[in-house]
Amino acid sequence: QVQVVESGGGSVQPGGSLRLSCAASGFAFSRSSMTWYRQAPGKERELVAAISSGSTGGTTNYVDSVKGRFTISRDDAKNTVYLQMNSLEPEDTALYYCNAHAPTPYGRWNDYWGQGTQVTVSS
């Protein structure tokens, strides 16, 4: 059974930090690319940060608005991906989702989503 579970959200003041975690199971995590998305009220979901599988170099990508403030990383031994968020701004307030793009034994790919964790940045 596939599980993707986010944690670590909360309320912080501007300038603060949070670390989100995404624990996954039930699929080939180490061969999956992992992505953090977010969706603010009234806005479309946007890609925040992505990391490729270890076998493809663990390459990272970020939306411009978080470059230099957020860092995505993965621990394949723990089947977990992280998003370290520093210098948080009110504009970072959103529901953050974890996505796994995972290979299947049949040469196809599946996308798995978590339920999201809320991040609120406010003074």
Side-chain angles (χ1 to χ4, degrees), residues 3 36 72 96 106:
Q3 286 192 318
W36 286 98
I72 188 171
Y96 283 71
Y106 312 105

Side-chain angles (χ1 to χ4, degrees), residues 30-33 50-61 72-74 76:
S30 65
R31 293 188 288 123
S32 302
S33 61
I51 187 166
S52 66
S53 67
S55 62
T56 58
T59 304
T60 59
N61 284 290
I72 188 171
S73 61
R74 63 190 297 156
D76 288 349

